[in-house]
Amino acid sequence: MQFPQIQIQQGYSKLGLQTTRGQHSIEQPRPSLNMSQKHVSIEIESVKGKLEIDSRKAWSALGKARFEEVTDRIAQASLQISMQNIAEIAQNGDRMMAIHENGKVFADIARQNAFKERPIEIAGEPGYDNVDITYTPGQIHMNYIPGGVTFQPEVHRPVIDYYPGKVNPYLISQNFIFLSVSGQQLDAVV
């Protein structure tokens, strides 16, 4: 006798996955320094030196003095000459009073007065140091103003973009169980 045999065939489900990868981007903007610089400055103020040369004595010694100085010199010399004349007149009067001592007093006085020189010097006194030189040195005033650098940094946050990935599952083949019986005419599909 022949027993019926049951044959079982089974198929598993096949799944397919379609994936899209996730993406991310990170961007870091550079920080801004915002730097400003103040320059160093030096203020210099100078007073020029002063050279004074006084050559009036030298010109005076050469006889080329200023008009006021020459007239003053003439006036001083005239005063001195007039004082000398007064003294000589008094002295000559004393000599004339004593005529009995020397008999030719009037002739001597006339001879002295005839050949007498009374020069008036209009030139100054010569000398090696007639030129006066005075030098006043100049001065320099400096004012230093320091500079500097200032920073005002500005930090930027990173820019992060993220795009998540996707998974799409799909069915390639469906599972099944197929039963068959041999020896009999029995077919059934589950």
Side-chain angles (χ1 to χ4, degrees), residues 28-35 151-158:
Q28 176 67 52
R30 291 180 176 246
S32 302
L33 286 180
N34 297 331
M35 180 174 68
F151 294 96
Q152 293 178 345
E154 189 177 325
V155 179
H156 303 290
R157 301 179 115 187

Side-chain angles (χ1 to χ4, degrees), residues 69-83:
E69 191 174 338
V70 172
T71 55
D72 186 44
R73 225 178 254 148
I74 291 172
Q76 291 292 332
S78 298
L79 179 64
Q80 190 174 6
I81 289 171
S82 64
M83 292 303 223

Side-chain angles (χ1 to χ4, degrees), residues 14-19 167-173:
K14 285 188 180 177
L15 291 176
L17 296 176
Q18 182 180 6
T19 60
V167 177
N168 291 328
Y170 60 93
L171 188 61
I172 297 174
S173 60

Side-chain angles (χ1 to χ4, degrees), residues 29-176:
R30 291 180 176 246
S32 302
L33 286 180
N34 297 331
M35 180 174 68
S36 63
Q37 179 179 8
K38 181 181 176 186
H39 293 287
V40 174
S41 65
I42 297 176
E43 296 174 354
I44 299 174
E45 180 182 330
S46 66
V47 177
K48 292 184 178 180
K50 192 175 183 183
L51 177 65
E52 295 178 2
I53 300 173
D54 186 2
S55 60
R56 287 183 291 184
K57 290 181 191 174
W59 287 112
S60 177
L62 293 172
K64 296 184 178 183
R66 295 179 305 153
F67 178 74
E68 296 89 14
E69 191 174 338
V70 172
T71 55
D72 186 44
R73 225 178 254 148
I74 291 172
Q76 291 292 332
S78 298
L79 179 64
Q80 190 174 6
I81 289 171
S82 64
M83 292 303 223
Q84 285 176 355
N85 280 338
I86 292 173
E88 283 179 17
I89 290 172
Q91 190 178 26
N92 288 338
D94 290 342
R95 282 175 61 193
M96 282 189 243
M97 263 187 355
I99 195 165
H100 60 281
E101 293 176 7
N102 191 354
K104 45 186 189 159
V105 175
F106 291 102
D108 288 342
I109 292 173
R111 191 177 318 120
Q112 284 176 358
N113 285 339
F115 299 109
K116 188 187 307 186
E117 289 187 20
R118 302 228 186 246
I120 295 177
E121 282 291 326
I122 59 170
E125 189 177 327
Y128 68 92
D129 61 346
N130 275 349
V131 177
D132 294 329
I133 297 174
T134 306
Y135 177 69
T136 306
Q139 296 178 347
I140 294 178
H141 303 287
M142 293 177 57
N143 187 17
Y144 172 75
I145 301 170
V149 179
T150 56
F151 294 96
Q152 293 178 345
E154 189 177 325
V155 179
H156 303 290
R157 301 179 115 187
V159 178
I160 301 173
D161 290 328
Y162 174 67
Y163 302 102
K166 294 182 182 177
V167 177
N168 291 328
Y170 60 93
L171 188 61
I172 297 174
S173 60
Q174 196 171 2
N175 59 346
F176 65 90

